[in-house]
């Protein structure tokens, strides 16, 4: 692989990163807050590739009696293994993997595995109160539902199978990227949607003083009494 081919590979890789970022495909891999860093990295790769190609074309038109400064010319190529860099580039360009979902929720323990020693402020006025699954879980488990009582709560997530074999609501939480994703799980009672796993739903209901143990890591899974639910399209940002 000569220098020109290396530049082309780097340009394809940078372009793939930029395309994935522009099309929101990157949200399948990392958190939304990392978007500026991905754009910067993609632009840096493309700029480096363009500059390399410019220098390569300039050297091609250099007279033969003006060899490169290192007296080795530019005919020597890099290792052939460099072509393997095309694989992640083509992967980003041609393959859109699904986000982590019900399978991850079944294999990994709930994120509610440590006590959050904090004061929970009252929910904002108006029903339903829209909460993330993690917010609801902490308030339900570690605050004994104090701020959730007598309130209608709205949660959004995908359907997974709970420890009791019944449907539950889940969502994957990322610290940085999909490799460290862990699920947050909320059990469902009442008007429970009977849908296939990984189906996205929005549910509205009330906190109930009931929990179950996650068989994976023995953490508490809080429950919600469902009054209303509706099937929705998967959001662009599927991770919490």
């Amino acid at each position: 692989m000569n220098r020109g081919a290396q530049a082309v590979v780097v340009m394809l890789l940078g372009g793939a990163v930029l395309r994935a970022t522009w099309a929101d495909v990157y949200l399948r891999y990392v958190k939304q807050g990392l978007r500026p860093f991905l754009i910067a990295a993609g632009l840096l790769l493309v700029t480096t590739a363009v500059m390399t190609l410019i220098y390569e074309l300039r050297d091609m038109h250099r007279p033969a009696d003006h060899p490169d400064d290192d007296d080795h010319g530019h005919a020597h190529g890099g290792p052939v293994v460099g072509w393997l860099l095309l694989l992640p580039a083509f992967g980003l360009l041609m393959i859109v993997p699904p986000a982590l979902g019900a399978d991850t929720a079944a294999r990994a323990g709930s994120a509610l595995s440590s006590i959050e020693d904090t004061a929970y402020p009252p929910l904002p006025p108006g029903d339903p109160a829209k909460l993330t699954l993690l917010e609801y879980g902490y308030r339900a488990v570690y605050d004994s539902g104090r701020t959730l009582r007598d309130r209608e709560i709205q949660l959004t997530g995908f359907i997974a199978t709970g420890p009791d074999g019944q449907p539950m609501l889940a969502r994957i939480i990322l610290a940085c990227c999909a490799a460290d994703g862990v699920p947050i799980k909320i059990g469902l009672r009442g008007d429970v949607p009977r849908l296939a796993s990984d189906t996205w739903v929005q549910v509205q209901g009330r906190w109930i003083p009931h929990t179950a143990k996650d068989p994976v890591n023995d953490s508490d899974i809080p429950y919600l009494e469902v009054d209303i639910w509706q099937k929705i399209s998967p959001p662009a940002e599927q991770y919490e």
Side-chain angles (χ1 to χ4, degrees):
M1 178 186 286
N2 60 28
R3 191 167 61 179
Q6 293 171 2
V8 171
V9 171
V10 172
M11 181 177 292
L12 284 173
L13 187 59
V17 171
L18 291 175
R19 181 182 181 278
T21 307
W22 180 265
D24 289 340
V25 175
Y26 78 102
L27 291 173
R28 306 291 178 90
Y29 304 98
V30 297
K31 298 180 68 172
Q32 187 177 37
L34 295 178
R35 184 174 194 172
F37 300 99
L38 290 175
I39 293 175
L43 290 175
L44 180 61
L45 289 172
V46 171
T47 302
T48 301
V50 170
M51 296 303 297
T52 301
L53 285 174
I54 291 175
Y55 286 127
E56 181 72 3
L57 290 174
R58 185 194 64 181
D59 290 347
M60 288 175 61
H61 293 86
R62 179 180 297 177
D65 57 348
H66 290 81
D68 290 339
D69 293 337
D70 60 3
D71 294 329
H72 292 288
H74 57 270
H76 296 287
V80 177
V81 72
W83 289 107
L84 293 177
L85 286 174
L86 287 174
L87 296 180
F90 286 137
L92 285 172
L93 289 171
M94 304 178 65
I95 302 173
V96 180
L100 301 178
D103 182 63
T104 300
R107 293 184 288 104
S110 175
L112 294 177
S113 57
S114 61
I115 296 178
E116 284 286 300
D117 186 15
T118 184
Y120 296 92
L123 297 180
D127 283 340
K130 298 179 181 180
L131 299 179
T132 66
L133 270 63
L134 190 62
E135 289 173 331
Y136 179 83
Y138 276 138
R139 289 173 182 267
V141 173
Y142 300 123
D143 196 37
S144 301
R146 180 183 58 86
T147 58
L148 303 173
R149 296 170 185 170
D150 303 319
R151 295 297 303 273
E152 282 288 313
I153 308 297
Q154 185 180 98
L155 303 175
T156 300
F158 57 82
I159 295 295
T161 302
D164 55 0
Q166 299 299 312
M168 69 176 179
L169 198 65
R171 202 155 182 176
I172 306 299
I173 301 172
L174 301 187
C176 173
C177 60
D180 58 36
V182 293
I184 175 69
K185 309 173 185 181
I186 306 297
L188 302 175
R189 288 285 185 267
D191 184 16
V192 179
R194 300 287 178 173
L195 300 171
S197 295
D198 288 318
T199 301
W200 280 82
V201 296
Q202 187 176 84
V203 300
Q204 182 176 319
R206 295 163 284 109
W207 168 80
I208 54 175
H210 176 72
T211 61
K213 289 294 183 181
D214 191 320
V216 180
N217 64 350
D218 204 39
S219 63
D220 289 314
I221 298 178
Y223 276 69
L224 179 79
E225 182 77 19
V226 179
D227 297 326
I228 304 172
W229 67 271
Q230 62 175 337
K231 183 178 176 180
I232 63 171
S233 299
E237 188 174 4
Q238 298 188 29
Y239 303 125
E240 278 195 5

